[in-house]
Amino acid sequence: MYLSKNSTLLFAFIMVMSFNFNSFSQKQIQNINGRKTLSLNGTWQFIIDPYKMGYLDYRQKPFDESASGKGGFYDNITNPGKTKRAEYNFDFEPSLTVPGDLNSQYEKLEFYEGVLWYRRNFKVSLKEDKRYFIHFGAVNYESHIYLNGKKLGVNKGGFTPFQFEVGDKLVEGDNFLVVMVDNTRKKDEVPTINTDWWNYGGITRDVNLVETPESFINDYKIQLATNDASKIKGYIELEGSVGEESVVLQIPELKINQSYTPDANGKVSFEIPVKKIQLWNPESPKLYEVKISFSQDAVNDKIGFRTIATEGKNILLNGESIFMKGIAMHDENPLIGGRLRSEGDMRMMLNWAKELGCNYVRLAHYTHNETMLRLADEMGLLVWSEVPVYWTISWENKETYKNAENQLSVSIERDKNRASIIIWSVGNETPVTEARNVFMGNLVDKVRSLDDTRLVAAALEVEFDGYTVTVDDTLGEKLDLASFNQYGGWYWSEPKELPKFSFDIKFNKPVVITEFGGGALAGFHADDDTMWSEEYQELIYINQLKMMDKIDGLRGITPWILVDFKSPRRQNPVYQNFWNRKGLISNTGVKKKAYFILQEYYRNKSVK
Ligand code: GCB
């Protein structure tokens, strides 16, 4: 085929656009850990590239947008050995452990925000009748993926999974996977440049090579019908050509064993009446073994069944009003100052929450690891799940919206079978403007179109006038909860003034306080008038809890926050040293005085 210069450029352009498109919209395989996988976790060589020389030529033009898609440094990295003038060589470079952010693994990377290349060699033995996918649990923030020197695509968004089908690019025996990751903060991205958490970059979650049959079970949703415990409702989607075969759904303990014939698109939808079902709840988090199969493929899952709804000022879990004893947390292991890496790390966090007396956690401010949600299912913790629409997003920018919507949709797609998740949050502390109302209002509509079995909320802000705190953000009208952050005793007023405050909440909805708290350095003791002392934080908790108990319709709280967490905004050299000290537990695992105040409150608080 002859290509003119223009058509070559056009071709290159289409290739680049299609990379973006692919990674932004490719449907995820449900339940990756239930599939046949080769883990690509472990040791990856890395090259720091602060000038992005592996990607941009000396005129700042991306090599992969040039007509040939080739260039010296780029080739050296993505396809080593192809050029003589080698200024990069993975073989002699140190390594990073995957999963794990890059900042916590080397001192010189602690503050790094920029481009870094990863490489991992692996061996496969290919089977004729199989399909192969490379699946990333999350890479922060923008990543370009290359397999054996060929570009698979680009992904944006640091907390959600993505995948590529790679059968045509894998070779028998030795293969190598290269990832360019860039965690540079940018104004129009999600999140934007300004956050109060560490911008941990890199391949932070699992990488897997997934092997499936030619036709396979791609996706399924198996949950109770909306607020109706008398039937299980859902769908199964097959990928590939399946013809007239039947798909079998089994939940042995419920004596469910149903066969369905998929429609022309490989989809079956069902509603199955159930009588004696043990509903999932925090006291008894019953999970049922679920098996889906057809002639070529089978997958198992553990799924809990519960309903969630609101009625006036009540939150009804399985039809009964509940008080949610919660705590907020980041996806960070305080003991290393880095992202949570293993199931053990995640259990430590959730065990701390259980010990505090919680039945509920707010997983702030972005999508957490899938394993975290599976543990919450198993341990009996209700979950608030959020997307990083945080503070000042570029509300007017259409690409920013698309990106936020994509992160939200992928998160719902991944976690829709988790009984623990009862609330999808579309953002945190966003300033009220017309453009923001449209942006976030559209996100609310999007959630409702994808999942009508859960509540939709956002952490709103309050206004205060004298001793009155008002909640009347118009976005609240579209939400299921009157949910907001308030920092009485810390950012406004002194802890001892708290008893004078009262709330004016304009919505007849359940009130959920998504944040309150204050900072304390563990081990620093003084009187309760001295900021940063454990006693000051303790008084905030004593007075906040008394104040909030007077709120009509208070149905849950998630104080900020379970453990101290790293933040570049928190620089006080005596008390903070780059840690936000609002934790009830320190970064060395020491429980502060306020921890025991909240624990006592939860012990005495009825869940009804
Ligand atoms: C907030 C934010 C949270 C911050 C916290 C603080 O309102 O939602 O991300 O870390 O305040 O410590 O100021």
Side-chain angles (χ1 to χ4, degrees), residues 196 365 390 428-429 487 491 515 560 565 570 580 582:
D196 187 22
H365 284 298
Y390 182 91
N428 178 75
E429 280 190 357
Y487 276 91
Y491 292 126
E515 286 179 32
W560 192 254
F565 62 98
R570 308 296 175 175
N580 184 317
K582 294 191 188 71

Side-chain angles (χ1 to χ4, degrees), residues 257-486:
N257 186 352
Q258 304 270 358
S259 287
Y260 302 99
T261 311
D263 68 15
N265 301 318
K267 185 166 176 171
V268 297
S269 300
F270 47 80
E271 281 192 14
I272 309 168
V274 282
K275 280 208 187 87
K276 278 201 192 132
I277 187 164
Q278 190 186 333
L279 298 176
W280 183 98
N281 66 40
E283 290 82 46
S284 159
K286 169 71 187 168
L287 298 178
Y288 285 92
E289 197 73 47
V290 173
K291 302 176 178 191
I292 306 167
S293 58
F294 76 110
S295 64
Q296 297 194 43
D297 195 18
V299 62
N300 293 354
D301 207 335
K302 281 185 175 169
I303 296 182
F305 299 100
R306 54 101 198 92
T307 61
I308 191 77
T310 64
E311 190 181 71
K313 293 197 170 197
N314 286 326
I315 297 175
L316 307 179
L317 176 70
N318 300 324
E320 283 179 34
S321 176
I322 184 172
F323 185 88
M324 303 195 299
K325 305 175 182 183
I327 192 73
M329 62 181 78
H330 269 293
D331 176 2
E332 182 179 64
N333 179 348
L335 305 179
I336 59 166
R339 288 266 174 253
L340 298 166
R341 295 180 192 169
S342 65
E343 188 183 313
D345 293 354
M346 293 172 224
R347 266 188 204 279
M348 170 183 78
M349 298 290 281
L350 297 181
N351 275 332
W352 269 331
K354 290 289 276 191
E355 211 185 321
L356 184 60
C358 294
N359 59 9
Y360 168 51
V361 289
R362 176 180 179 206
L363 302 182
H365 284 298
Y366 37 74
T367 306
H368 284 224
N369 200 308
E370 183 174 346
T371 302
M372 195 76 172
L373 281 314
R374 287 182 175 273
L375 289 176
D377 264 15
E378 176 197 308
M379 294 166 76
L381 286 158
L382 298 161
V383 171
W384 164 297
S385 170
E386 193 158 289
V387 283
V389 174
Y390 182 91
W391 290 352
T392 54
I393 293 288
S394 295
W395 308 112
E396 314 265 1
N397 186 320
K398 290 207 166 59
E399 288 304 310
T400 308
Y401 178 78
K402 260 196 353 219
N403 185 344
E405 193 189 86
N406 178 63
Q407 293 190 43
L408 181 63
S409 308
V410 173
S411 161
I412 295 173
E413 197 176 304
R414 192 193 71 180
D415 294 332
K416 58 184 175 279
N417 290 309
R418 303 284 72 83
S420 51
I421 299 194
I422 52 162
I423 300 162
W424 299 117
S425 161
V426 295
N428 178 75
E429 280 190 357
T430 52
V432 182
T433 62
E434 189 46 41
R436 167 274 198 179
N437 290 348
V438 171
F439 188 111
M440 292 186 75
N442 287 341
L443 290 181
V444 174
D445 295 342
K446 183 70 191 178
V447 179
R448 296 202 194 278
S449 75
L450 293 174
D451 183 5
D452 61 2
T453 66
R454 291 178 173 85
L455 309 180
V456 190
L460 305 176
E461 284 188 318
V462 297
E463 284 162 37
F464 42 97
D465 181 14
Y467 289 115
T468 308
V469 186
T470 308
V471 184
D472 71 350
D473 181 336
T474 46
L475 183 67
E477 279 153 26
K478 291 197 77 148
L479 304 173
D480 294 316
L481 304 174
S483 39
F484 54 89
N485 300 346
Q486 53 87 9

